[in-house]
Amino acid sequence: MAISLPVRFRSDGVRVAVETDPLHAPLRDFLINDLGEDVSAIARAQGRLNGDAARPWQELYRYHRLDFDGTIVHVRDVAGWASCDLDPAVLRQCLDEYLQQVGALQSRRSLERDLGQARNGEPVATSLALGSVSPRKQGWALIQSPRAVLEDLAGLTPHPDGCLPHGVLGTGSGPCWADLAVLDESGTRLRGGTKTFMPRGIDPERLMSELGNALTQARFISAVPGAWSGVVAGVPVHGYVDPDAVLRLPCEPIEIGGVARHVKVFFPELADSGVDLESAASSASAFTESVYGPVHVLTAFLLHDVQSHRHHLEIVRAAHPGWEHTGNACHLRVDAQTVRLEHLWLPGHACEVPTREFAGVLYEYERLTTAA
């Protein structure tokens, strides 16, 4: 049975507001003034409530004190002017929801900051869509964000649940993908892109600390210069290093000290079909002989951007002339006669494929990845 809370939380993307009636004003003031956006302070308050359900306790904060008499929690300001009484279960639920709101707000700020929001007055979606092919946004960042935050950011649309793999490290939640769109004044979709967000349950600090060790055991993908696959903090990942800065490529395993400095990007391996996707991507790329430019760019697009996901295949097939898409590895532009692919992490590496033959490559790749 749902608990009716005496407070209501509302976030405008800048702060978390707490609304209540005059009777429960001490609770509102305690949340805002004593706990604020300090996640650890909120967690400590939760921990106090999770103790012995019948043992009295008292907790003193800067502006308020909490007294539990074994049955009811009394929230009093330290001057003794105002107080309210709460059932422990109600207060616990208030803290749970408040923590969710604060966490979502902080995730949004992190997401907007790390992905370069509002540079020179640009909206979030424009900055994201152009980020990987613009000098203003180079390199990569680890972003973890609740699905609700993605839904709240302009231009970001989380992928349908059926598109997302589950069970990473037994957390029950796979990586989160989001599509973004940049619209012109008439509302026409001009650009699209896909961003990958690391799965819940992954500690970014652990991931960073283990990246160097993981690279010593990574396997280079011979079909694409600088591309590698490996396992970082228990997560299967793909990535790129700068093939001009790191000598003796490809090599297995990587034996060059300091190679982590040359990592340009890495992202979770989202396909778990049991099919050899590297072989499928290489075979599908050879399905057409009309590739103008290095064929490994087309291979990288299939392996690292499509990744055998039907959802992505359908998006690309539905593209109309003038449409652009920025993925993990390539920037794609569809014209009336050709499809142009520019590799994001290999400067100057680009290819063009006739539109009709490009569609044939997509169907061949889908056939190979679903044949098992």
Side-chain angles (χ1 to χ4, degrees):
M1 180 177 174
I3 298 176
S4 177
L5 300 183
V7 293
R8 185 176 64 178
F9 301 100
R10 179 173 49 82
S11 175
D12 57 7
V14 178
R15 64 187 182 92
V16 176
V18 183
E19 301 172 346
T20 188
D21 54 64
L23 180 65
H24 293 92
L27 172 60
R28 176 200 61 207
D29 297 341
F30 165 70
L31 295 173
I32 296 297
N33 298 328
D34 290 300
L35 300 182
E37 294 183 10
D38 188 339
V39 172
S40 61
I42 301 172
R44 285 195 298 271
Q46 290 176 311
R48 175 56 104 174
L49 286 166
N50 290 331
D52 188 340
R55 184 175 182 178
W57 51 262
Q58 182 182 89
E59 196 75 30
L60 181 64
Y61 293 84
R62 182 177 182 182
Y63 300 105
H64 295 80
R65 71 175 188 270
L66 272 58
D67 292 297
F68 177 58
D69 61 12
T71 303
I72 295 295
V73 178
H74 307 277
V75 181
R76 301 182 173 94
D77 65 44
V78 292
W81 292 102
S83 66
C84 64
D85 300 336
L86 297 167
D87 184 280
V90 172
L91 180 56
R92 186 181 300 111
Q93 185 64 37
C94 289
L95 291 171
D96 290 347
E97 188 167 336
Y98 185 56
L99 181 61
Q100 290 180 9
Q101 293 287 337
V102 170
L105 178 62
Q106 293 182 351
S107 293
R108 178 186 175 116
R109 290 172 180 165
S110 174
L111 182 62
E112 292 175 344
R113 180 179 63 251
D114 292 336
L115 293 180
Q117 180 205 16
R119 301 195 178 189
N120 298 323
E122 291 181 338
V124 177
T126 303
S127 181
L128 286 172
L130 302 179
S132 295
V133 292
S134 169
R136 294 168 304 167
K137 182 65 180 177
Q138 295 293 329
W140 48 271
L142 293 177
I143 307 296
Q144 289 183 299
S145 179
R147 186 181 182 90
V149 174
L150 298 183
E151 293 173 342
D152 188 44
L153 281 174
L156 279 172
T157 306
H159 280 205
D161 288 335
C163 182
L164 303 175
H166 294 276
V168 176
L169 293 186
T171 64
S173 175
C176 189
W177 287 17
D179 284 334
L180 56 93
V182 180
L183 308 179
D184 63 8
E185 294 179 356
S186 66
T188 304
R189 181 180 177 125
L190 297 181
R191 292 179 180 268
T194 297
K195 297 298 172 187
T196 303
F197 299 85
M198 299 302 291
R200 288 184 302 168
I202 304 302
D203 181 356
E205 293 185 3
R206 176 192 170 196
L207 210 158
M208 286 301 301
S209 67
E210 293 190 11
L211 176 59
N213 291 333
L215 282 169
T216 65
Q217 303 175 30
R219 180 181 64 85
F220 274 98
I221 298 172
S222 59
V224 184
W228 56 271
S229 65
V231 178
V232 181
V235 181
V237 298
H238 285 263
Y240 284 89
V241 295
D242 185 348
D244 296 323
V246 181
L247 303 178
R248 296 175 58 199
L249 292 179
C251 56
E252 184 178 347
I254 301 174
E255 298 174 351
I256 304 160
V259 72
R261 295 196 307 268
H262 303 290
V263 175
K264 290 192 167 187
V265 65
F266 71 98
F267 40 86
E269 179 179 300
L270 302 184
D272 187 21
S273 61
V275 177
D276 184 347
L277 296 181
E278 182 181 343
S279 176
S282 296
S283 298
S285 299
F287 190 71
T288 174
E289 298 180 353
S290 303
V291 178
Y292 178 73
V295 71
H296 64 250
V297 179
L298 177 58
T299 303
F301 172 75
L302 296 174
L303 181 61
H304 291 154
D305 293 331
V306 176
Q307 288 202 39
S308 83
H309 277 265
R310 182 179 298 274
H311 179 68
H312 278 177
L313 288 166
E314 292 172 350
I315 288 175
V316 177
R317 287 190 185 119
H320 53 76
W323 188 73
E324 299 185 33
H325 183 90
T326 301
N328 287 322
C330 295
H331 181 77
L332 172 148
R333 178 179 175 84
V334 178
D335 292 324
Q337 301 296 325
T338 62
V339 174
R340 178 175 175 80
L341 293 165
E342 298 178 9
H343 204 289
L344 302 175
W345 313 108
L346 301 174
H349 291 233
C351 72
E352 292 186 354
V353 185
T355 303
R356 184 180 297 274
E357 296 195 24
F358 179 73
V361 170
L362 293 178
Y363 279 106
E364 177 66 8
Y365 181 65
E366 183 178 24
R367 186 187 70 79
L368 291 170
T369 57
T370 57

